[in-house]
Amino acid sequence: MSSGTIIGIVTFVYLGTFSLMLVGQILDKKGFQNAALFGAGGGFLLHGAGILSRWYESYSLGVGHVPLSNFYESLVFFSWAIVLIAFLSIRGEARNRVLTFIMPAAALMLGYASFSTGVESDIQPLVPALKSNWLAIHVITCFLGYSSFVVASVSGFFLLRNGHASPEAHPTGTVFYRCVMIGFIFFTVGILTGSVWAQVAWGRYWGWDPKETWALITWLIYAAVLHERIRKGRATKGVAVIALIGLVSVLFTYFGVNYLPGLHSYL
Amino acid sequence: MKQASSTDYKKTANNGNGLPGRLSSLKLAITLLFFITALCLVGTVFPQRDGYVSYGHGLVSWISSLLSPYGIFHSIWFMGAGLLLCINLILCMWKRAHLKRRSLLMLLLHGSILLVIAGYGLGFMSLDGFMEIPEGSTVSRVMLKNGSSQDLGFSVRCDRFAADYYPNGMPKEYISDLSFIRDGQVASRAQVKVNHPASFSGINFYQESFNQSPASAIITVSDGQKKMVLKASEGDILPLPSGDTRVRVVKIWSNLMHAGPAVKLLIEGPSGGRYLWVFRDIDAIKSRVPDLFERMPQFDPSGFRPYTFSCEQTGTSYTTGIGVKHDPGTPLVGAGGLLFLISLLLVFLLPRTSPGVQSSSSGGNPSPALVERSASDTVHKKAQATGCDS
């Protein structure tokens, strides 16, 4: 089975999982929710297999490289990473609620990757600029950072909605802080490895390229989230609002920058 | 435990009035983060230019430089906000140093940002230029970003440039073989590729671009007595001894129809114009196709009497574009980045093993999510360590 077929199947598994989750929450049936969780886990494993299979296919085409080199491959990895982070960082009731947001988001990304005519899904050889050992580590850490920020902001949204007296004591409050912090660490590593790579490839570690500048904007916003939380002593609604602004910034850093002129336009 | 740390935080938070208090406040830090974020946003929407941007003269120039969105990252707003953030960081760190508890880690975390900013500031001393070296040529001057040029004190020769492509036409590799020449001697050789710079005398050399010069050919014209050897490019007109005939070089191929190098000439004489295809390996071609000239008279190199044409060699010549860079601030920025990462990891990981947290979570809420990791403890721990005014 080709990796494209696997990714197609995963898209529908994620959509099915999402429907089960919705039905489970509307009818308040534990059985549906458990089945949904099982489906999400299975889809996630298959998703990982799809990525590995594309990696293998690139080698049989004689242009072997990590499948992180174009927009299609980054969409597939990004959607895998948000499911990974959601599973790793959340337990119990909170996980089901956050996954109700994450699963359709992952399905949408995969659907867009597979069916949009604007996204080239063929395996291409690497252009000289991408032929570097920094490619994998830079892209993986950036996307794990993005994904943690997405999961953090979704839990932040629940903080806002619940209007809990002390959101920090709420399970999603814990998840929120943990994901912001993990995201901040990964994204810092992503920016640093990107800097080292830029120094090696272009002779400057920082050039105010739109992608670089937007990465800095995202980093500054989540730095503000962490500092506002310290200032208030806990994750308040204000902190959650800043995190949601951060989510917009993450999406712009990833998608929006493609519409600005710059060196990163291929990703 | 929780109560005590919370009071600690409030105490330090309340004693910061007046200018030093405000300058060291977390509120200022967060405000500055947002202000810099907004400037960055403007900087990505408007195309940025290098250096100082202004229009007009005198006061108008000063005001336009203040308001111009085209040089955000060199603007007084950006630098001012950066400077204020540094002052805020230093004051905050200085206060924390007086708190003594867990202060070292926070000191490192924020001090490393100062290192990065200081290293970036050293960038004003950097060398940032570009060299265009035709294959086989030697160049010693670097064209700088500001339009001037600078002598390196040694010279760089491009021995060979190659552009390699995948079968589907995508670029695979750009390679320049460089020799660094000092006092007439080759001091070092290096191969420069994208992602593989070379270094000589503390200066780094990067493969940035290339130009393919128009194809050229060595064309020999003989009229039976005299022989002329001419180097010609496409579009050139060859001077022939007889004044009423002009020969124009129309096209040059390095390999035409798998028959080797060839040139296409347009010969214009009193009796009109005609085309002539001149192959370098015409003898070999003719031995394979004996009746070639009968079938294709335009391939006969002696087809235009009294001249016989031949082409010796054809080829494309490349000019490689090499970035020439040196930034003395890079090691400082690298050290700062590494230090920031290490201290960030420690800040995240250390509270887990700190005895204070363990004792308070064991006595706290038994909810599984909270036992797993007590976020509120972390906040209080941080508040103690931060000691900044809100």
Side-chain angles (χ1 to χ4, degrees), chain A residues 210 260-261, chain B residues 40-49 68-73:
Chain A
L260 299 170
Chain B
C40 285
L41 202 147
V42 174
T44 59
V45 174
F46 293 90
Q48 296 296 298
R49 294 177 203 146
S68 167
Y70 299 106
I72 287 292
F73 304 116

Side-chain angles (χ1 to χ4, degrees), chain B residues 93-369:
Chain B
M93 281 159 54
W94 182 75
K95 281 199 157 187
R96 198 175 295 137
H98 287 255
L99 273 177
K100 291 204 170 91
R101 262 190 289 175
R102 266 178 55 84
S103 59
L104 183 67
L105 203 51
M106 283 292 161
L107 215 65
L108 275 181
L109 184 68
H110 292 88
S112 59
I113 294 177
L114 290 176
L115 267 187
V116 171
I117 295 175
Y120 183 75
L122 285 180
F124 79 94
M125 295 196 297
S126 66
L127 167 72
D128 186 357
F130 183 70
M131 276 179 144
E132 274 190 315
I133 320 174
E135 222 176 351
S137 301
T138 307
V139 173
S140 64
R141 291 199 80 80
V142 184
M143 290 176 281
L144 302 179
K145 280 273 164 69
N146 61 16
S148 65
S149 72
Q150 182 187 324
D151 197 89
L152 279 178
F154 58 88
S155 50
V156 187
R157 186 176 69 211
C158 174
D159 297 321
R160 184 186 72 110
F161 175 85
D164 201 2
Y165 297 90
Y166 292 106
N168 69 359
M170 283 172 68
K172 186 178 184 181
E173 203 73 89
Y174 303 123
I175 306 163
S176 293
D177 286 335
L178 302 181
S179 292
F180 299 99
I181 299 164
R182 179 166 279 175
D183 306 324
Q185 300 278 313
V186 174
S188 168
R189 284 177 206 277
Q191 186 166 79
V192 176
K193 294 191 278 189
V194 183
N195 276 311
H196 297 274
S199 184
F200 181 74
S201 183
I203 297 172
N204 299 320
F205 295 84
Y206 299 85
Q207 182 67 57
E208 273 188 5
S209 62
F210 73 96
N211 263 316
Q212 203 168 345
S213 314
S216 63
I218 309 284
I219 298 171
T220 311
V221 192
S222 142
D223 62 358
Q225 297 143 5
K226 275 202 331 209
K227 200 172 165 185
M228 279 185 358
V229 180
L230 303 156
K231 184 169 191 233
S233 301
E234 286 180 4
D236 284 0
I237 292 171
L238 306 182
L240 285 190
S242 74
D244 56 352
T245 309
R246 294 180 354 139
V247 177
R248 185 192 296 273
V249 180
V250 179
K251 188 104 182 108
I252 300 173
W253 294 271
S254 51
N255 191 357
L256 176 63
M257 297 184 293
H258 303 289
V263 293
K264 179 184 178 184
L265 306 174
L266 172 62
I267 301 168
E268 293 167 305
S271 55
R274 59 174 294 196
Y275 288 107
L276 198 67
W277 276 261
V278 181
F279 288 85
R280 184 191 68 183
D281 306 325
I282 191 66
D283 295 339
I285 300 167
K286 193 151 188 320
S287 67
R288 285 208 303 273
V289 190
D291 61 343
L292 179 71
F293 295 160
E294 286 78 54
R295 284 164 52 191
M296 310 287 259
Q298 65 270 38
F299 286 0
D300 183 357
S302 308
F304 190 80
R305 310 258 169 236
Y307 302 108
T308 300
F309 295 88
S310 64
C311 93
E312 294 294 324
Q313 68 178 83
T314 69
T316 50
S317 68
Y318 288 105
T319 298
T320 185
I322 300 288
V324 183
K325 290 161 198 230
H326 172 69
D327 184 347
T330 311
L332 211 55
V333 173
L338 195 65
L339 199 62
F340 181 82
L341 183 62
I342 293 170
S343 33
L344 181 67
L345 279 172
L346 288 177
V347 166
F348 183 58
L349 297 173
L350 276 191
R352 267 182 212 271
T353 54
S354 121
V357 171
Q358 274 171 8
S359 66
S360 74
S361 25
S362 58
N365 195 323
S367 143

Side-chain angles (χ1 to χ4, degrees), chain A residues 63 89 91 124-132 168-171 173-174 177-178 181-182 184-185 188-189 192 197-206 208-211 213-214 216-217 219-221 223-224 226-235 242 245 252 260-261, chain B residues 9 26-27 29-30 33-34 36-37 40-41 43-45 48 73 78 110 113 119-120 166 168 170-174 194-197 204 206-208 325 327 329-330 333 337-338 340-341 344-345 347-348 365 367 369-370 372-376 378-380 382-383 386 390:
Chain A
V63 293
S89 56
R91 303 263 180 282
Q124 300 280 357
L126 287 183
V127 295
L130 293 182
K131 280 188 173 177
S132 169
E168 195 72 39
H170 195 269
T174 321
Y177 167 72
R178 193 191 303 160
M181 199 59 193
I182 289 174
F184 198 69
I185 291 171
T188 302
V189 179
L192 289 177
W197 189 7
Q199 177 68 29
V200 172
W202 301 318
R204 89 289 183 291
Y205 54 83
W206 193 266
W208 300 109
D209 168 76
K211 191 87 167 184
T213 310
W214 271 95
L216 179 67
I217 290 173
W219 190 84
L220 289 172
I221 292 175
L226 291 171
H227 285 86
E228 181 69 6
R229 184 174 169 279
I230 291 170
R231 196 168 81 92
K232 290 283 159 64
R234 60 187 172 83
I242 303 176
I245 297 172
F252 197 85
L260 299 170
Chain B
Y9 176 71
L26 256 181
K27 197 172 187 174
I30 294 166
L33 289 179
F34 276 115
I36 295 173
T37 297
C40 285
L41 202 147
T44 59
V45 174
Q48 296 296 298
F73 304 116
F78 194 77
H110 292 88
I113 294 177
Y120 183 75
Y166 292 106
N168 69 359
M170 283 172 68
K172 186 178 184 181
E173 203 73 89
Y174 303 123
V194 183
N195 276 311
H196 297 274
N204 299 320
Y206 299 85
Q207 182 67 57
E208 273 188 5
K325 290 161 198 230
D327 184 347
T330 311
V333 173
L338 195 65
F340 181 82
L341 183 62
L344 181 67
L345 279 172
V347 166
F348 183 58
N365 195 323
S367 143
L370 285 179
E372 203 171 65
R373 173 162 174 76
S374 173
S376 45
T378 318
V379 170
H380 293 309
K382 274 201 161 170
T386 311
S390 58

Side-chain angles (χ1 to χ4, degrees), chain A residues 78-113:
Chain A
F78 193 3
S79 48
W80 183 80
I82 53 172
V83 180
L84 172 80
I85 298 289
F87 264 103
L88 284 186
S89 56
I90 322 171
R91 303 263 180 282
E93 184 62 24
R95 173 161 63 190
N96 289 351
R97 271 188 292 164
V98 170
L99 279 178
T100 317
F101 272 72
I102 295 298
M103 296 322 286
L108 263 179
M109 271 193 253
L110 287 181
Y112 181 65

